[in-house]
Structures are given as C-alpha cells and as structure tokens.
Amino acid sequence: MDQKRVVIRTNDGADLAVWTSGPSGAKTFLLVHGFSLDHTLWNPLAERLNAAGHQVVALDIRGHGESTLGTAPPNVDRYLADLRQVIDELGLGPVHLVGHSFGAVIALASRVGEDLAASIKTVTSIGGTERSIQNPVMRVGAYLFSSPVGIWLLGRRVTGRLLI
C-alpha cells in the first residue's frame, strides 16, 4: 500500500499526522483510531479499501502516534474541529467516517449539530466487545442510535450531546 503522509497544523499549534492512500476523488473513508493507538490500526482495512478502488485517509488523533497535542484541551469538540480541518485542508468531499473505540465516540459526536453534517456521508462505529451489547443499557443505546428517531435526536445539539 502506497501511503502519503501529510502534516496539518491546527490553530492551537498541534501537528496532525495524516496518511492518505488510494485514488483521489474516489469514495473516501476517513478512519479515526481509538485511545492509545495510531493510524496503523487501519492498515489491513486500508489495503482492502484501496484494492476496491477507494481512497483512505487515516490520521493520528492529537496526542497520539506522530500527532502532537497542541495547547487546546483535548476534548471531543477539539477532536471534531480537527476532523473539520483535515476534511477542509485535504479537499475531501463527503466522507464515510469510521471510528474505533474512542474514535467511535468522535465519529458519533460528528452527527451532533450541523458543523460536519455536509462533510460526512455515513458514520460507522466500531468498538466494545460482544459483552457490551449484552448489557441492556448498551442494547437500548444501539437500537436508539441506529433508529430514525435516534439519528434525528443525534442531529440535535443538546440531545445529541446528552446521548453521547
């Protein structure tokens, strides 16, 4: 897999390390790893997506891998601003956002409000274990997040933040 590394400087001084691969302008998957991991988590998936003709963009979230922390507090809003900047600076059309573990929290948070709505085509959340879905609260949450009502609620800033 032929990856190109790009560094994006944020307004608080963080350097975000981003890797792109596959044909530019193709269906694009933006991959967000979990806590304490880095972009290499996605290499096997990126190879398969590239082989299918898709573009892959995988970043090291701030403070992880080759990305620096910057001066802003590392909270979900900051991570969402980082996603916005990656999408804008790389000129990505609507992306298919995929998050794992903490990256899944970031991905789900992107559905709250209008900031990223036009830039994200789909969201896929990967995380937890088989046991987590056996928890009745998690099961209700999974049904809620995937239902039309849940998607509508996630799209509202206040209720979406409370749900996440």
Side-chain angles (χ1 to χ4, degrees):
M1 175 176 57
D2 185 28
Q3 292 182 321
K4 177 183 172 191
R5 183 178 181 271
V6 177
V7 175
I8 296 174
R9 171 70 53 100
T10 66
N11 63 2
D12 74 321
D15 288 327
L16 301 178
V18 182
W19 284 261
T20 63
S21 60
S24 181
K27 182 189 286 187
T28 302
F29 291 83
L30 176 55
L31 309 178
V32 184
H33 64 79
F35 181 75
S36 80
L37 300 170
D38 67 13
H39 74 281
T40 60
L41 165 80
W42 300 111
N43 285 348
L45 177 61
E47 288 177 11
R48 288 189 170 144
L49 290 169
N50 289 161
H54 305 303
Q55 180 181 25
V56 173
V57 177
L59 73 147
D60 286 344
I61 61 175
R62 64 175 47 230
H64 292 72
E66 295 182 30
S67 291
T68 61
L69 193 55
T71 59
N75 57 37
V76 172
D77 288 332
R78 183 68 245 189
Y79 287 112
L80 291 174
D82 292 347
L83 287 184
R84 160 60 54 216
Q85 190 166 351
V86 167
I87 290 168
D88 289 348
E89 289 201 20
L90 295 180
L92 304 175
V95 299
H96 297 275
L97 182 60
V98 181
H100 166 257
S101 191
F102 180 64
V105 171
I106 297 168
L108 289 170
S110 74
R111 296 188 67 122
V112 178
E114 299 298 320
D115 298 342
L116 289 165
S119 300
I120 298 175
K121 192 169 193 135
T122 63
V123 171
T124 301
S125 170
I126 303 169
T129 65
E130 183 180 336
R131 287 182 174 221
S132 67
I133 200 65
Q134 293 172 359
N135 177 315
V137 173
M138 293 297 287
R139 185 171 294 187
V140 168
Y143 287 122
L144 177 63
F145 281 128
S146 62
S147 74
V149 170
I151 291 170
W152 181 83
L153 287 171
L154 284 171
R156 305 296 159 260
R157 181 165 292 283
V158 174
T159 55
R161 293 268 183 223
L162 289 173
L163 287 171
I164 290 170

